[in-house]
Amino acid sequence: MRSPPPPAPSQGGTPYGGYVNPVTSGGNQFAPAFGGFMNDQTAQMGFQLGKSAAMAGQEYVEQNLNRYVSISALKHYFNVTTSYVLRKLILVLFPWRHKPWSRQQRPSTTGSQDQSSYSYYFLPPREDLNSPDMYIPVMAFVTYVLLSALIAGLRGSFHPEVMGSTFMYALFVVISEILILKLGTYLLSITNESQLLDLIAYSGYKFVGVIVTLVVTEIVNLGQGTGGWVSWTVFVYTFLANAFFLLRSLKYVLLPDSSAPTGSGMTVARSQRNRRTQFLFLYAYVVQFIFMWILSKQDSSTGRAGKVKGVL
């Protein structure tokens, strides 16, 4: 006996009336369902609501932040390039033969064509090496915290609290210095917001010298902490370089030249000029020496800055 022949497939069907496998049949059976989900009005509405919520949150943050500092002013300090960062780091560490120190300015026309007046504004950091920026200070601050944690790990004494304590300690130093700058600007009658932001930007360059001191000391002392003549030599050099850099740079912030084409009449009286000169000297040498020494101090047992005992 023979088995009965298989039934003939119907048009558009399969033998035996079987189930069509959407994967092996060659057709894209799942595409319409997925495309239908993406084209669904409910999904589109959800995406629009999410986008609107993100934009509203960003606008809310900017409005609240603008109460304390101008966002557009901050963008000026982060307008940098890779070449500028490299050249600025070299300038901070080797400022002895650099000239000139004055910042470059560009005129801008205001008013109508018939009655136009010219005002001058400083070029952004990417176009002027002498312009202060906040990119290097912020990155140096983060690098300092990570470097302290790395040193603690190399010494076998790392624990999660090292990064937190180092961050808070460095942040305390930064906030203390900002308060000193605020007090100085109040006593010296500096009311221009850009001048205050310039001072805050310049205050962060000391982290570059501190990082160099820690790295060289750790290599030479083989993880025994900061100490010895090598540590003192590197620290004194980076401190003097930072002080010289601040003296030359801040001169054009605290003691503006009356002959400069700023068009804003930023002249300083003789008595006020003498007080600003004294403040500049104390800030560049005394204040920076104290803060740089505290930040450069590393406990050999924990790798954490802030335990000031003995000598450097």
Side-chain angles (χ1 to χ4, degrees):
M1 298 179 64
R2 295 181 179 180
S3 300
S10 59
Q11 185 177 0
T14 58
Y16 304 102
Y19 172 70
V20 178
N21 191 341
V23 178
T24 59
S25 61
N28 189 3
Q29 299 294 330
F30 291 104
F34 183 77
F37 171 75
M38 294 299 295
N39 296 326
D40 185 58
Q41 295 182 355
T42 304
Q44 291 183 358
M45 184 179 298
F47 291 144
Q48 291 293 333
L49 289 176
K51 184 178 180 181
S52 300
M55 295 178 61
Q58 181 180 359
E59 184 179 358
Y60 176 79
V61 172
E62 292 182 356
Q63 289 178 354
N64 286 271
L65 191 59
N66 279 326
R67 298 179 182 178
Y68 306 98
V69 63
S70 175
I71 299 297
S72 59
L74 284 179
K75 291 181 179 179
H76 171 86
Y77 293 92
F78 288 92
N79 187 7
V80 299
T81 59
T82 303
S83 62
Y84 165 83
V85 173
L86 295 177
R87 293 167 57 201
K88 192 72 170 207
L89 290 175
I90 296 175
L91 176 60
V92 172
L93 295 175
F94 307 98
W96 316 110
R97 301 179 61 88
H98 175 72
K99 287 182 180 180
W101 289 91
S102 59
R103 296 175 59 181
Q104 299 180 16
Q105 304 178 33
R106 178 178 299 168
S108 62
T109 306
T110 58
S112 59
Q113 297 181 354
D114 298 335
Q115 297 180 351
S116 59
S117 59
Y118 290 92
S119 61
Y120 292 81
Y121 65 94
F122 290 115
L123 295 180
R126 65 185 303 156
E127 301 180 23
D128 182 15
L129 181 62
N130 295 324
S131 178
D133 71 282
M134 291 188 181
Y135 176 82
I136 293 179
V138 171
M139 291 296 102
F141 179 89
V142 176
T143 303
Y144 170 77
V145 176
L146 297 178
L147 179 62
S148 299
L150 176 62
I151 292 175
L154 294 176
R155 296 173 183 171
S157 58
F158 176 80
H159 50 89
E161 290 79 8
V162 170
M163 294 187 63
S165 61
T166 304
F167 174 82
M168 295 303 299
Y169 194 83
L171 184 63
F172 172 77
V173 171
V174 172
I175 294 176
S176 300
E177 188 169 356
I178 292 177
L179 293 178
I180 294 176
L181 291 175
K182 287 286 290 184
L183 178 62
T185 54
Y186 173 77
L187 297 177
L188 299 176
S189 301
I190 299 177
T191 58
N192 194 343
E193 181 186 1
S194 62
Q195 288 180 309
L196 177 60
L197 293 177
D198 288 346
L199 293 175
I200 295 176
Y202 281 118
S203 67
Y205 288 110
K206 64 177 171 291
F207 282 98
V208 177
V210 172
I211 291 172
V212 173
T213 302
L214 293 179
V215 172
V216 175
T217 302
E218 189 68 18
I219 295 176
V220 174
N221 292 344
L222 301 177
Q224 298 302 318
T226 53
W229 65 272
V230 175
S231 177
W232 268 111
T233 302
V234 177
F235 171 78
V236 171
Y237 174 83
T238 54
F239 159 70
L240 292 177
N242 182 73
F244 185 84
F245 169 78
L246 290 179
L247 279 176
R248 294 298 187 181
S249 301
L250 291 178
K251 175 184 176 182
Y252 297 93
V253 179
L254 298 178
L255 305 173
D257 188 4
S258 59
S259 61
T262 56
S264 57
M266 292 176 57
T267 57
V268 182
R270 186 176 184 83
S271 60
Q272 190 76 0
R273 191 179 185 89
N274 293 333
R275 288 194 295 174
R276 292 191 179 189
T277 303
Q278 296 173 2
F279 173 79
L280 178 59
F281 179 83
L282 291 175
Y283 174 74
Y285 282 94
V286 179
V287 175
Q288 292 300 310
F289 178 84
I290 295 175
F291 285 147
M292 288 186 66
W293 182 71
I294 292 176
L295 292 172
S296 299
K297 179 63 181 176
Q298 288 284 336
D299 186 6
S300 60
S301 62
T302 62
R304 180 174 56 189
K307 285 195 173 183
V308 183
K309 58 182 179 180
V311 294
L312 183 69

